[in-house]
């Protein structure tokens, strides 16, 4: 609800916005204050000397002009003592930031002498400056002790010295309370600002770390896709080329079929590669975004593998769920089958056969890929932990809370078993 105040920007007679006109001045003042604070942090001594010289000048002028007599209870107080007390209240301010408690301890007897002699020099209120520094930097109990150091001499003077004015004690109390509250407000504001800056830096670091993690995950995903697309199709092309070269001298018709299959497989690989790279490119908004392979494309995959010379059989057990699996689950199954057959083409030898069994269970889908190749583990995979293919299959399975096991069969050949829930488990 509005309180009736017009909060719209006010316009001058020439139609300019007054808020816009004051913005450059505000920025200039902020920039100047920032430079002064930076200079003060780098070189505190010049600023301390300037502040101390200012208050020493004020104290000396108050003495030489006789202004202290306008409020003094005893105008006949010795002038050298008045000058000495004025300097004792002003000169130590040079160490107000490094030793504020020591300053108040040194000023306490001078304050008692000020009340006892009746001079009541006004520069005694400079005790509030180290008190402000204490409230800004030191614990609260130290601030309370500084209040006692300031007010105790005045209190004793009001109680002991004949003719002392109790209103001076009230002035000291109000002055100290005001300075203490101001110091606490500035301190709270500073700590709040530092907390905000630290939080901003922490969020910035977390953002950078998250960006690095996201980039690493994206690189891993792209590597899996490139490996599955290029590795499988190159393996099929290699098998077709070897078979075509073998059949060229004996059966030119089969060689021509192999060449045709090589062309078809190459074009399919280029299409898949262009689609993947087109999606990655920001400068290609019209990139082909055809659906990724799914379980319905397994027959096409097996047909290409059979044309490459590997007999493969697909068996499905169980009843598929009424709700189809998500595209991510189906792509994982497709890529695992594709990688298993690619490894068979690469390593199993010319007389190997392969079998893919899809088993639907209430818990999910199990894929069992086997071949009858006669190779051993070192020949099939010299470095099982460093291969991109098996690691990529495990990463795909882990993305959807599945498990993958791959290794040699006791009776010979190789097997890969994928267990994949068709729905993500509840958190």
């Amino acid at each position: 609800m509005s309180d009736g105040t017009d909060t719209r920007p006010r316009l001058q007679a020439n139609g300019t916005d007054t808020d816009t006109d004051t913005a450059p001045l505000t920025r200039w003042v902020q920039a100047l204050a920032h430079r002064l604070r930076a200079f003060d942090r780098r070189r505190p001594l010049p600023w301390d000397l300037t502040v101390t010289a200012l208050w020493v000048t004020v104290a000396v002028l108050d003495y030489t002009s006789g202004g202290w007599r306008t409020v003094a209870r005893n105008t006949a107080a010795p002038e050298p003592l008045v000058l000495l007390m004025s300097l004792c209240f002003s000169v130590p301010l040079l160490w107000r930031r490094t030793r504020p408690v020591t300053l108040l301890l040194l000023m306490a007897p001078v304050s008692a002498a000020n009340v006892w002699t009746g001079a009541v020099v006004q520069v005694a209120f400079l005790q509030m400056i180290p008190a402000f520094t204490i409230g800004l930097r030191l614990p609260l109990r130290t601030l309370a002790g500084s209040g006692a150091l300031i007010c105790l001499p005045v209190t004793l003077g009001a109680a002991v010295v004949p003719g002392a004015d109790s209103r001076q004690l009230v002035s000291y109390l109000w002055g100290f309370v005001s300075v203490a509250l101001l110091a606490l407000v500035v301190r709270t504001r500073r700590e709040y600002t530092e907390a905000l800056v630290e939080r901003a830096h922490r969020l910035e670091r977390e953002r950078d770390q998250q960006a690095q993690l996201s980039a690493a995950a994206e690189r891993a995903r792209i590597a899996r896709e490139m490996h599955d697309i290029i590795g499988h199709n190159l393996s099929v092309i290699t098998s077709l080329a070897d078979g075509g070269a073998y059949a060229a001298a004996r059966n030119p018709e089969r060689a021509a079929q192999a060449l045709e299959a090589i062309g078809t497989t190459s074009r399919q690989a280029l299409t898949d590669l262009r689609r993947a790279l087109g999606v990655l490119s920001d400068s290609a908004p019209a990139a082909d975004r055809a659906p990724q392979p799914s379980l319905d494309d397994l027959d096409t995959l097996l047909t290409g593998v059979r044309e490459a010379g590997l007999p493969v059989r697909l068996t499905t057990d169980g009843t598929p769920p009424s709700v189809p699996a998500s595209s991510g689950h189906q792509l994982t199954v497709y890529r695992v089958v594709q990688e298993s057959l690619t490894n068979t083409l690469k390593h199993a030898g010319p007389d190997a056969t392969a079998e893919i069994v899809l088993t639907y269970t209430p818990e999910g889908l199990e894929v069992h890929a086997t071949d009858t190749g006669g190779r051993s583990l070192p020949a099939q995979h010299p470095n099982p932990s460093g291969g991109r293919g098996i690691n990529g299959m495990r990463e795909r399975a882990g993305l959807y809370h599945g498990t993958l096991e791959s290794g040699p069969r006791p009776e010979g050949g190789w097997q890969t078993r994928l267990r994949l829930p068709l729905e993500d488990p509840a958190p």
Side-chain angles (χ1 to χ4, degrees), residues 271-283:
T271 300
D272 294 342
L273 187 59
R274 287 194 185 102
R275 181 175 66 241
L277 296 178
V279 171
L280 294 176
S281 176
D282 294 336
S283 60

Side-chain angles (χ1 to χ4, degrees), residues 9 51 166 238 258 272 292 307 406 411 416:
V51 173
S166 60
T238 302
D272 294 342
Q292 292 276 33
E307 291 178 354
S406 185
E411 62 272 22
T416 300

Side-chain angles (χ1 to χ4, degrees), residues 83-101:
L83 177 59
L84 179 62
M85 290 190 297
S86 299
L87 294 177
C88 289
F89 282 124
S90 57
V91 172
L93 293 180
L94 182 62
W95 299 277
R96 73 189 189 282
R97 286 196 281 195
T98 57
R99 298 179 178 84
V101 178

Side-chain angles (χ1 to χ4, degrees), residues 208-285:
D208 294 341
Q209 293 172 357
Q210 186 63 34
Q212 294 174 1
L213 292 175
S214 300
E218 187 65 14
R219 285 195 298 268
R221 187 188 69 82
I222 294 171
R224 287 195 301 267
E225 291 297 323
M226 294 296 102
H227 176 274
D228 293 338
I229 293 173
I230 299 175
H232 171 75
N233 288 288
L234 286 180
S235 297
V236 172
I237 291 172
T238 302
S239 299
L240 288 171
D242 292 341
Y246 178 79
R250 296 176 177 80
N251 192 343
E253 182 180 351
R254 291 297 301 273
Q257 292 176 357
L259 291 174
E260 183 180 354
I262 288 174
T264 302
T265 305
S266 301
R267 284 189 292 273
Q268 180 63 38
L270 286 175
T271 300
D272 294 342
L273 187 59
R274 287 194 185 102
R275 181 175 66 241
L277 296 178
V279 171
L280 294 176
S281 176
D282 294 336
S283 60

